[in-house]
Amino acid sequence: NAGVTQTPKFRVLKTGQSMTLLCAQDMNHEYMYWYRQDPGMGLRLIHYSVGEGTTAKGEVPDGYNVSRLKKQNFLLGLESAAPSQTSVYFCASGYTFFGQGANIQYFGAGTRLSVL
Amino acid sequence: GESVGLHLPTLSVQEGDNSIINCAYSNSASDYFIWYKQESGKGPQFIIDIRSNMDKRQGQRVTVLLNKTVKHLSLQIAATQPGDSAVYFCAGVNSGGYQKVTFGTGTKLQVIP
C-alpha cells in the first residue's frame, strides 16, 4: 500500500518551460489536493478535486492547471514556468465519513521544483 | 477570512520532557482542528484531530486541548523523543463544500538529547 505517490521528486526548469507533476493515490479517496510550500508561508492550496472529472481553484491557482481524469490520479501542470513557481509541491488525498468529520489529508513526499 | 497561526516558530525541548505547541485560530466556524507533523524532506503526516464540540482528546503520547473561548488549541507531547523533532502544523477545517482546510505556518520542535 503506497499511499500517495508523487513524481518526479526533483526537477529543474528554465523559465518558460512546461511540465506536469503526477500524483497517484491508492486509498480510493474522493478528494485530492495540490499545495505549494514556501518558507515561512505554510501550505497554500493551488487546486483541488472533490471527485473524478472535477477540479476547482484554491488559494493560489494562477499559472497552474490540473486534471483528474481518473479517481486515483491528479495532475498539476505548469504551462510556462516562472521563477516565482520555485517551491516544494505536495499532493494530498482525503475523504470524509458520510460527508462529516474532519477531512484528514494524506500527503505525498513532495516534489522540489526550481525554476531558473 | 480564517487564519490559523502558531505562537512560536521554534521550540527546543530536552529529551524526556513534555512539549507544548500552541496554535491560535480566528474563525469560530471551524468544525475540526487537526495537527500534522512534518519531518525534514517529507510530507505532513496526520497526528490527531479534535472536533469543535470537544475540549480534549488524547492519543498515543499526544494530547490536544481546545479552548474555544480564546480560540486556542495546543498539542502536548509527553516524554519527547528525538524522533519527535519536526515541524508541527495545526489546521482548521470548515465543513461545507469540500471542507476547506487552513494550515498554520508551523512550529519547529527541536529535541535536545
Side-chain angles (χ1 to χ4, degrees), chain A residues 37 90 96 101 103 105 112, chain B residues 32 36 38 41 43 89 98-99:
Chain A
Q37 186 176 44
F90 287 100
T96 58
N103 186 340
Q105 298 182 18
R112 283 148 186 81
Chain B
Y32 285 85
Y36 287 91
Q38 185 175 21
F89 297 91
Y98 76 98
Q99 294 203 338

Side-chain angles (χ1 to χ4, degrees), chain A residues 1-6 24-27 107-108:
Chain A
N1 190 337
V4 178
T5 303
Q6 291 183 234
Q25 55 100 358
D26 60 5
M27 295 173 282
F107 288 82

Side-chain angles (χ1 to χ4, degrees), chain A residues 33-51:
Chain A
Y33 308 83
W34 275 107
Y35 293 92
R36 60 178 290 172
Q37 186 176 44
D38 302 293
M41 300 191 73
L43 288 161
R44 293 185 292 169
L45 182 65
I46 304 172
H47 286 281
Y48 65 96
S49 169
V50 300

Side-chain angles (χ1 to χ4, degrees), chain B residues 9-26:
Chain B
T10 304
L11 175 67
S12 296
V13 175
Q14 202 76 32
E15 181 179 356
D17 288 350
N18 295 337
S19 303
I20 300 176
I21 301 171
N22 296 305
C23 181
Y25 64 95
S26 62

Side-chain angles (χ1 to χ4, degrees), chain A residues 2 8 20 27-29 32-34 40 48 51-52 56-57 61 68 71 76 87 93 99 101-102 109 111-112:
Chain A
T20 300
M27 295 173 282
N28 201 35
H29 288 164
M32 294 190 75
Y33 308 83
W34 275 107
Y48 65 96
E52 180 179 323
K57 294 180 180 180
R68 183 105 180 263
K71 185 177 184 179
L76 178 70
S87 187
S93 69
T111 295
R112 283 148 186 81

Side-chain angles (χ1 to χ4, degrees), chain A residues 20 23 32 34 49 51-55 66-76:
Chain A
T20 300
C23 178
M32 294 190 75
W34 275 107
S49 169
E52 180 179 323
T54 71
T55 62
V66 288
S67 64
R68 183 105 180 263
L69 298 180
K70 293 183 179 181
K71 185 177 184 179
Q72 63 267 34
N73 297 332
F74 197 30
L75 309 181
L76 178 70

Side-chain angles (χ1 to χ4, degrees), chain B residues 30-76:
Chain B
S30 294
D31 299 291
Y32 285 85
F33 299 90
I34 307 173
W35 282 98
Y36 287 91
K37 171 186 180 182
Q38 185 175 21
E39 296 176 90
S40 181
K42 297 183 179 179
Q45 180 182 10
F46 168 80
I47 302 174
I48 190 168
D49 65 340
I50 186 168
R51 298 173 67 112
S52 59
N53 61 356
M54 302 170 65
D55 53 21
K56 181 180 180 179
R57 190 172 187 197
Q58 288 184 295
Q60 187 177 10
R61 278 200 311 119
V62 295
T63 300
V64 57
L65 300 178
L66 175 62
N67 186 330
K68 293 182 288 296
T69 302
V70 295
K71 298 181 181 178
H72 178 273
L73 68 159
S74 66
L75 177 71
Q76 301 179 0

